[in-house]
Each structure stands twice: as structure tokens, then as C-alpha cells.
Amino acid sequence: MIDAMIDDEEIDDEEIDDETPVPDASASERWIRKRIGRRDSTPTAMAFVFTGRDRHLAYPVTVASWSNAGISLLHQIDQALKAQHPSVHLPVVSLRSRIELEDAGNLRLDRDLGRGWRGRTILWTETAVPEARTAANTVVLRWLVNDVGRLLRTEDAQGALDQLKQLAQTQRAVEVSTRKATPFDWRQTLGKTAKGTSETSYPDLADVIARHLAGKVVFPGLQGLRRIAVGDLSKNQAELITDPESFGKDDRFSLVIRVRVFSFPGRPTPVIVIEFAKRMWTSGLKASGTSKTVRGYAFPDVGVRAFPFTLVSKRQDDRKYRFELDADFWPIRQRYLPRVDKVSTDWIFQEGHSAEGCKVFVGLKHGTGTKSKTSGGIPDLDKMEGFRAIRAILAEIGLQPWQGIEVVETSTRSSKDRDQHWRNSAREKKPQKYAAWLQEAQASLRACYAGEHHVVLAVQPGHGVERDADLAEKELTVTLQGSVHVQRIPIPADVHGPRAQLPGSDIKAAHERAALRIKAWQPFIDIVKEYEATTGRRIDGVLVLAHKWYVGNQPDDQVNKRAARMALARGLGVPVQYLLPRHGELADSGEAGQGAKPSSEHRIKKDTEKFQHRLMIAWLDLAYKSLGRVRPGKLVSEASKLYKGAQGNRFGNYPDRILALGIVRRNERARLRNERSFLPFAIELDVETGTCTASFAYQDATTEKVTRSDPLPLPQALVKLARLGPVDLSSAAGGDRTRELGERTQAFFKERIADLMKRGLKPLVIVDADSARSYWQWLKDDEIDPGNMQLAGGFNALAAWPKLRLVRVRTSNSPKVLWGNTYEGVVETTGEVVTYEGPKWADAQLFKLTDTVRTDVYLSFGSIIRTGQTKGQSCYRQMPGMRTCFNREKRGYVAGDMKRFAEGWTTPQGVEIFVVRPGDDDPDQIARLVEWLRQCYAHYGDWSIKPAPLFFEGVLKEYISDYGLDESEDGAEAEEQAEADEGGETEEQ
């Protein structure tokens, strides 16, 4: 169906945001008189559902598992290798590759190949039982002879190896059986939610769809899809990929399709979500990059499979790191590249793309691979065309597009300027908006910091950043007009820099190196305390100006930033934020500004503007994010509109307090030797003041008793958290740990809800199901019952809180939603009618599921600002259409081919909002309010994924002593990366 027409004048503002006019003096022959847009009246969700037919259709799946004797002997060999000096790991990666190549029907390979806690199962395959048994045992025998035997050094281990080889020779090392997969046969819970008939229902459904798509042409003009075997027997997804396409001389990419299976509360059958992404291929690797492993793929000339392999950065004899092909590549080489004399990483980059018999490519990772001229993400035209092709293919197996959503009208709007009225250009062009922003900022500072925000600017000495410190002081003073006081203090020399150049460089344990860094911060802390005592001014935060990369492309030691947060929060009791200098990386020939090639005036100006931008983002995070600050006036105003006319408390009927419950979880990683972290939290937002308090539960390291912290203002809670060191909620192991974590987490949640219900007049509770559902089972789709909350060992917990308003939030299971959109125009000179398709993503929109039973489930799509995204373009072929352009006489639309889109393309990610208990409210009211909580921040002009106050869990994560955590959530760095990549993720999120 087609909605009302939209003429070009009405869509000009929108088009300017996502199209960059290009001067074209030769375009006068094809000027368009008027462009008209027609949008479909119903949205298209990138998802499928069952039609109801073929429900009992069964697919045979062959299962290969270690025999009891086989796994016992393998365990003996593994232990012997670990006991050797030097210790050696069982070469599992080569066995995985051998199995992939030997079994053409392989569907899934267990990541641990049947050696982990999941059981003895190695793989699932389409291959019949006799052939699968022979293939599996043959592969194991070859692996034992060629890869394992050469590693053993003891007689006992050699004896176990001989016995296991004997089992493989007689086909008794691996046992093979068959099972029937019924991917379209699903049960229902009492709440009418889809529930698989077996533990394999989700992966089986994803697999049968991927098998049906393999070899099919989905993108016009490209070859058929290749299937990639999944490395997890329980994962609800499958993946397919196209052969690499060229973009220019060295840039190449593939289009990726992911099939993911989800359930929604109250929906009797699952939803199959189709995701589109772009995988970039790199032309080189940085040995000292941010990643130690990189994934590559082999594309044989024959077949519909693509085979993964790994490259690992290893230290060479000259003490430098270089990437080498891991053991999983050599079976690929033996099978498909036997004529190549010498295969190496250099060969892959120089000749792999044209190798006879099998093309080989290495995936691009930011910070590790050579940058590409093209960026990630697939334009919406390619998604829509791909989805239509998949629709025709999947109709053959009884699937149809999902149409169970409808628009819910809201007052939210698309992001336009990120509320960045503090920019120099904004101050000059829109002084009234800047004045309004400044007035609001100063009012917030008066309310939060007694009128002035007192910041210490901690400057890294000897690295060319003093001039940036001068600029930072000046910019903050000018922009905030006296509302910020900056005191500059140098930081110690041995708290930042490459690991090799700092004390303790030979210490492998991250937390031990971090302890040295924390100690090294003490002189700085003493200086700040002396300054406070002398001046009588209490500081409110520390802004650290330091480099991330150093001479020779060496990164800052990964523990440094987190150690600094811990040291300064503990020593000074204030939050910490980082700011990159104008040159985030020192030149190879010397320090920034010393020996580097002279920059053009334009480049210097651009670097300065980016630095000013990072500065303000970092300061806003320091001033407001650490408070858990939202814009209270805006929040109250919006809530009043939503609950207009409602009577009740002095706030009206809208929530006066909003409580967010979740878990900050981080598992121990052996490679980093860091502590594991598990922290249930409760963040409470006071709607009237716009600030948050936080509390959390942990096991006291000394008494081993559970401790629940009192609610504290968020900055104080961060300081307390930093002083705790590594946090956990249980010291038990195995199943006892899981049980204890669940019991203690639920007890904490129950306590916080009960306390809220005593104080709040109309409270709202938002629970993060992404982190909490494994430890509060009731949150899962197939167990959640709005009428009977199971919490802390009790049933019907809601009896004590009959007026509780409860919302469950999930962030990773919503399909993309597009609006079909057709443009039409008439050429001025010839009268020719030009039409083309330009789909538009869901932007600042809320949808309600219409095909659920007795549940209120919504999908909220935020807004992402990106420039240069011209609707109707393709990333892999030229498309006819109209583009904006201008010459000296005229500006408008011109008919002609649109170039392939090479920039980054991202669209908003959907967030599921399940209004479990609306209390006395209309569920739509609550859903609208929760959506509005995604874009009400004092420091952040974009839409966030998680709504406030759940959004502020990221601040808690920064102050946990887990030194293996990435620092990607740092505001300034994240903003810089977004600017550099323009949304160009390798794979769209």
C-alpha cells in the first residue's frame, strides 16, 4: 500500500541531513522539475514467521561425539601436554579445521570439540551416519599422527596417544548417532509464549534456513551465498556470506547475512530475524595493533562453504611481533592450495585474492588491519532487495514475512544536531540556541556543583600536549563563561606509556602491573590534596590528557587507564575522565610536533576542531555522566504530557522515581589473568532532581559475607566501588556458584524493590534482562508470568506491591524495520518520468507487537545521525535515480546513476520494551516514557541504547578493578572513533 505523497519541498530538510550535495556543472541537461516521495503505509520488519504448514516436517541430523574411552584418553594427553616444560596446549584449532574440510555436510562444530562442560558432542552434520563415522575417526587419526604426536615428551602420554590412535583406527574414538530435528514444531507455555520442543530447537531452525539459503542468489548480480559453520551447538543463529567484491584497487568486502531465531512474550511461535552486514577485507596487518588474533576466510572455487582460519600475532627472535598463520590454516592449504610453493601472510595479501582453486582473505579489524577506503554497513536498498529475494526462497519451506507490528505515536523526534550548541560553528550560526544551552548548563552546574565545576586537568608531561592543555583551559572557560574552574597539574611519568617502557613490563598478570601504576599515581594525589588544602577549593573531577599510542605504533599498556581511575577515585574521591590530545598517536620520527611532517593549515584546523569536540564530550561526561544526570525539566515536562489530566500525587500520576536493576558481569579471562567480576546493581533516578543514586551487592573479601551497599549519590558510589577492588558475589565453584549467584542477586533485587515501594509514590522499575535473566529465571520469555512474579524463592511477589509498574528491557533481539519509499520526478527538458526506490529506516519510532497474547511488547528505534547516506544507493553496484547537486546557477535534483556507496551506513538498533505490569497506567504510556528516557541526558545528545537510569551502568563498569576490560565506552574516545569511522563498523550492529 502507498501512503500520501510527499513533495520535494517537504522532504528537503530530511534530505540535507543524509545527502551531501555534489557540484556538477554538467548536469543542466537532466534537472528534475520536482521530486515526489511516496512512502508505504505499513513498515517492513526484516523478519519471518511460520505460515503453519510443514509443522511436523523432520530433518535428520547426524551427531558425532567422543566415546567414553576416547574422551578419557584425550584428557590424559591434554594433561600431559600441560605438565610438560614448557607447557603446550592441545592443538584443537587444527582438529577443528580438519573436521570442517573433511565433512562437507558439517552444520555446527562445538568450540571446544566436545571437551568442555557442554558434553562430549563434537559436531552436527547432514552427512549420513556411516560416512560421518568414517570421516570423524579418520580426521582424528590424522590429527593425532601429524599434530599431536610431535608435541609429546613423556612415555605415559605416548601410551595414551597410541591407545587413542588404535581407537580411531577401529572407528571407536568417535561415536556417531542420528536424531530428528523438527524446526517448525514448537510448544507454548501457559502464557502462550513459544517454547522449543527440545534443547536444539533454536539452532535447528537457524540451520535449516541457512541450509536452504546456501548457494542461492540473494543480491542481484552477485554469486550465490556460502554457508559458514557455526562454532556453538547452542547458538540461535547461522551465518552466510557472499564472495568478496572489489571496490577500487585494493579494497574488498563481502556481504553477510545472519539468521537469528528469537521469541517474544505471548507470541506462540518464534520470529526469524534476518540481519545484513558488510565484512571488510584488509590488505595488511599492523603487528603491534590492538588485536592479537585476526580471522580470515577461504573461498574454494567449488562448493557453497567458506572456511575460517586464524592469524596470531607472535613475538619473533628480533623481539618484534608479527602475524603468523595459525594451525587451522594448513589443512586448508593442503586441500585447496597444494601447488603454492610458500604460503605466508604476505602471500595472502599479495596473491590470496587471485589464488587458483581457492581465494583467501583476511578480515579487517579496527586498529589492526590496514584501513579501507570503504566503510561498513549495508544501505537500506540492498537490505530491502535482499529481504525480498529471501522472502521468495523461504516461502518454499513455509515461512512468510512478519507483519505483527504497528506504529505507536510518540512525541520523540529524530536527532538533528546532538544538542551540540557549544560548538564554535553552532555558537556563530545559531547564537540563540547556544545561549539557551549555556543557560541550561549553568543552571545544572549551580544545582549540582554549587555554581561552579572545579576540574583538575592532569597533563602528561614531555609528550607535546602542553599546547593542548592551554587550548583546553581556554575553550572550557570561553564556552562555559565562568562556570568551570580548571587547575592544571602534571601527571607522573610512569603511569602512561607502552608496556615495554614502564616498570613491571615483564609482569604478565594485569592486576599486578596495575598495582604498580596505582602506586605511581600517589605523588599526583598528594599534590592535588595539598592544592585543596591551600586554596580551600574541593575539586569535583579529574580530566586526564594523555596519549593512547606512542612512537613505533606502540599502544598504551591496557591496564593504565583503569588503574588511573582506581587510583584517583580512591585517593581523591572524585570521578575521572580521559581526553586524547590533538595528535592521539606520536609520530614514528619523534614526539608529536617534533620531527613529524608539517601539516597543512587545513589539517591543523581540522585537528583542532576535533580536539575541541572531544574536549567538550569528555567534560560533559565528567560533569554529568558521573552524576547519572538527566535533564529534569525536560523529563518532567514530557511525563506531564504523557499523563495529562491524571490525578494522584504532587507530580501528577507519572513515576516520581525510576529504579533500574541489572548486573555488571565480567568473567575471568585466562589470557589476561584478571579477576572475574559479578556486580548486581540498582540505580535509582529521582525524576524531580534528575540525578541518580546507586547501590550494589558483593561478597566481602575478608568476611565472605554478602554486603549490600546503601544507596549513595552516583559519584560517591563510584568511589566506593573503586575502593573495593575486584568484586564478586560468590566464591563457590561450578553449579554451587551459579545457584548462589542467583539466590543472592534476587535477594538484592527484592530488597531494592521493597525499599522503593516504601518511598516512591508512583515508582517504575526497569529490569535489564540482557544481564539478569540467567540469574533471575523468571525474566526469560518462557517463564515470565505477569500475574505471578517469582523472586528470591517466593511466588506471587507482586502481592506485596500491587501498584508496581514493571518493565523488562532487552537490546539485542529486535529486527531492523524499514519503510518502503519510492521517489518520482520529471526531467525539465524532456518530460521524462524518473522513478527509483529509496527505503528509509525506522527513526525515532515506537512499534507495538500486534500478534501477542495478553502481553504488551514494544520495539523502540532511536535515531542515528549520519551524513552522506543517500537513500536509493547500493554498496556494490550503481543504481539509477536522482541525486542532489548544484552548479553556479542552480541547486536541486538531477537524474542519473548514483555511485556505489562507500561510506559508513548504520541504522538505529531496536530495543524491546515489555511492559510486564502497567499498574494503573496504560501500557502505551509507560512504553512512551521508557522510549523518551533514551534521549533525555544532560551530557549526551544522541539516543542511547538503554534507557535512563539503566544507561548509567556503563559508569559502574568503568570503576570495577577488572584490568582486562576494554575502554571503548570512554566518552571522548568513543566519539573520536565514531567521527573517524562515520559508523563504518566492520559488521553492522
Side-chain angles (χ1 to χ4, degrees), residues 622-684:
L622 182 66
Y624 295 126
K625 186 178 179 181
S626 60
L627 290 176
R629 178 76 166 172
V630 302
R631 304 166 76 182
K634 299 286 186 180
L635 176 54
V636 170
S637 174
E638 180 65 21
S640 299
K641 293 177 185 176
L642 287 173
Y643 289 82
K644 185 178 181 180
Q647 301 297 319
N649 55 63
R650 65 191 177 97
F651 294 103
N653 201 43
Y654 58 81
D656 60 328
R657 295 182 179 278
I658 302 172
L659 181 70
L661 301 175
I663 302 170
V664 174
R665 195 156 30 124
R666 191 72 174 184
N667 294 328
E668 185 177 5
R669 295 159 71 182
R671 181 177 63 84
L672 296 173
R673 296 179 172 83
N674 60 301
E675 304 289 341
R676 57 186 174 185
S677 302
F678 187 99
L679 186 79
F681 65 84
I683 303 176
E684 183 179 316

Side-chain angles (χ1 to χ4, degrees), residues 426-437:
R427 296 203 297 260
E428 296 170 359
K429 296 178 181 178
K430 300 178 180 179
Q432 292 181 337
K433 286 191 174 183
Y434 165 65
W437 174 87

Side-chain angles (χ1 to χ4, degrees), residues 66 90-97 99-100 108-124 229-235 237 295 308 310:
W66 292 105
L90 199 65
V92 176
V93 290
S94 64
L95 177 57
R96 187 184 298 121
S97 182
I99 291 175
E100 281 235 53
R108 288 177 182 254
L109 273 171
D110 179 63
R111 192 182 312 279
D112 297 318
L113 292 181
R115 302 181 310 119
W117 58 270
R118 296 182 181 89
R120 295 183 285 114
T121 301
I122 301 172
L123 63 88
W124 299 344
V230 181
D232 190 331
L233 299 181
S234 62
K235 206 164 189 177
Q237 75 176 47
R295 178 63 59 89
T310 313

